[in-house]
Amino acid sequence: MANRIIVTGGAGFIGSTTVRHIINNTPDAVCVIDKLTYAGNLESLKPVADSGRFSFYQADICHKSAMDEIFANFRPTHVMHLAAESHVDRSIDAPGDFIQTNINGTYTLLEAARKYFNTLDANEKSHFRFHHISTDEVYGDLGSTGKLFREDTPYAPSSPYSASKAASDHLVRSWMRTFQLPTIITNCSNNYGPYQFPEKLIPLVILHALSGQELPIYGTGSQIRDWLYVEDHAKALYKVATNGKPGETYNIGGNNEKTNLEVVQTICGLLDELAPRSDGASYAGQIIFVPDRPGHDLRYAIDASKIKTELNWQPQETFASGMRKTVQWYLDNRCSWCAHVLSGEYKMERLGRGEKL
């Protein structure tokens, strides 16, 4: 039986990748809910927008009546909740937006799901899943311990962003314990790949390098992250949503620990090869170091052994292969998708098949 999946935040980076994966590789129907803030880009959904199994609603997950209406009309078998404010720097400048979307929005969505769940028969209830997509940043800073984040690692968030995501994780778990809503949580490491909004490190560096701008790195660039190619993540998310066990948490990582400086140097090396500067100099000469941001965690790293053992998932891309694909995609789409994002033109795009609630 084909599933009917609500994907919140489905016009964002990870969300749109997940939607494209589902439409292109399964018989399932997908209903995207997205508020279309600055990070929501309908151009990222154009490759699947003509599918009869795709529908779109422009709506805020904090809008109770809109959520109730979508659940009643679409009648999902699964919810994949990706809608979130997610940029740490923005959470330092405007934490209120993160509280509203990540905490209050998750609460509103949980209540809409619970109301809908209570209308289902026993068979439908046994199939329904609410999958909440979170981050490894809820676990805090590993520092130089050499340890890895496990599903039972205590929470110790450092930023308004990670604190708001930690709060939403707790809400999701409590709705299962108290109301028997079948929920699953995944916590992922840093994603990269095509269609990522250019405020994030990797697309920012690629586009700044190509335009001759400086490449800013916080502190000394010694911060370590585990990098996960976004298409590998999308495959993991679908597998968890459809095969994961309610009440469980699954950590999803790329097994690719790199310092920020290593990441930027890798991009510069690939650009030197694929799009050399006209003066023959290396793009690495554009690197500069800027003051570190407040509360910057030193190291995140995921132990993804549980999802490998229980659900037979592991990343297919190495850091080298994933980065090459990513850099090449931004080169190929610099004058289309990238140009529309940088100019703001993407905000005017319309799919022609969506509804606004």
Side-chain angles (χ1 to χ4, degrees):
M1 183 181 69
N3 300 305
R4 298 179 59 79
I5 305 174
I6 284 177
V7 179
T8 71
F13 170 46
I14 300 173
S16 64
T17 306
T18 302
V19 171
R20 294 193 305 272
H21 171 72
I22 295 171
I23 294 296
N24 289 331
N25 297 282
T26 80
D28 299 345
V30 176
C31 174
V32 170
I33 301 173
D34 201 293
K35 186 180 178 180
L36 294 183
T37 61
Y38 74 95
N41 189 343
L42 292 178
E43 289 191 34
S44 302
L45 292 169
K46 277 189 173 180
V48 297
D50 291 334
S51 170
R53 294 178 288 114
F54 172 88
S55 56
F56 174 82
Y57 285 88
Q58 182 179 351
D60 186 340
I61 59 170
C62 295
H63 188 175
K64 179 182 181 300
S65 62
M67 295 305 102
D68 288 342
E69 182 178 339
I70 293 170
F71 273 83
N73 291 341
F74 184 71
R75 299 195 59 79
T77 59
H78 297 73
V79 176
M80 299 178 74
H81 176 34
L82 293 102
E85 294 285 348
S86 65
H87 194 236
V88 175
D89 288 354
R90 287 179 182 264
S91 80
I92 294 171
D93 294 335
D97 294 339
F98 289 71
I99 303 303
Q100 178 67 8
T101 297
N102 298 353
I103 301 178
N104 293 337
T106 299
Y107 159 72
T108 303
L109 196 67
L110 283 166
E111 281 292 85
R114 180 165 75 100
K115 179 180 178 181
Y116 167 75
F117 181 72
N118 289 336
T119 69
L120 303 179
D121 62 33
N123 182 59
E124 291 170 328
K125 285 183 176 179
S126 69
H127 193 58
F128 183 84
R129 299 289 184 270
F130 184 104
H131 177 193
H132 176 61
I133 289 81
S134 189
T135 171
D136 61 357
E137 295 192 39
V138 298
Y139 299 123
D141 189 355
L142 285 169
S144 58
T145 62
K147 296 180 180 179
L148 300 174
F149 293 136
R150 294 168 46 86
E151 286 80 3
D152 58 0
T153 298
Y155 278 24
S158 302
S159 68
Y161 161 60
S162 57
S164 67
K165 289 299 289 185
S168 67
D169 291 4
H170 292 318
L171 287 175
V172 170
R173 289 191 179 96
S174 70
W175 254 246
M176 179 163 179
R177 177 67 181 264
T178 303
F179 303 116
Q180 292 75 55
L181 183 71
T183 67
I184 307 171
I185 295 175
T186 51
N187 298 86
C188 70
S189 57
N190 280 40
N191 279 223
Y192 70 99
Y195 296 99
Q196 188 171 25
F197 196 78
E199 69 181 357
K200 297 300 180 82
L201 176 65
I202 288 174
L204 179 73
V205 168
I206 294 170
L207 297 176
H208 274 205
L210 291 171
S211 61
Q213 299 180 64
E214 294 176 335
L215 308 179
I217 299 178
Y218 281 128
T220 61
S222 59
Q223 303 87 358
I224 297 171
R225 301 293 182 261
D226 174 17
W227 292 93
L228 173 65
Y229 190 62
V230 68
E231 292 180 13
D232 280 333
H233 189 197
K235 294 171 186 176
L237 293 179
Y238 182 77
K239 183 161 282 194
V240 170
T242 56
N243 292 286
K245 181 181 177 181
E248 293 293 328
T249 297
Y250 300 90
N251 282 349
I252 306 172
N255 302 321
N256 291 306
E257 288 189 58
K258 303 290 180 183
T259 67
N260 286 348
L261 181 57
E262 286 178 297
V263 171
V264 176
Q265 290 172 334
T266 298
I267 294 169
C268 291
L270 285 166
L271 288 174
D272 289 341
E273 174 192 343
L274 299 172
R277 281 176 38 158
S278 59
D279 61 3
S282 172
Y283 288 98
Q286 296 167 223
I287 293 174
I288 64 167
F289 296 92
V290 298
D292 212 349
R293 71 183 178 206
H296 202 168
D297 293 331
L298 175 62
R299 176 173 170 260
Y300 308 141
I302 286 279
D303 177 353
S305 58
K306 178 177 177 178
I307 190 173
K308 179 180 180 180
T309 300
E310 296 188 10
L311 298 179
N312 194 32
W313 174 90
Q314 60 183 348
Q316 299 302 301
E317 299 293 341
T318 65
F319 185 73
S321 66
M323 281 299 299
R324 180 171 288 274
K325 287 183 177 181
T326 299
V327 171
Q328 188 63 61
W329 186 88
Y330 279 94
L331 289 172
D332 293 343
N333 291 275
R334 187 184 179 194
C335 296
S336 52
W337 188 91
C338 297
H340 292 167
V341 170
L342 294 173
S343 69
E345 184 180 347
Y346 75 102
K347 296 178 182 178
M348 305 302 295
E349 290 291 330
R350 292 292 179 268
L351 283 173
R353 297 187 55 227
E355 296 184 42
K356 187 172 183 178
L357 294 177

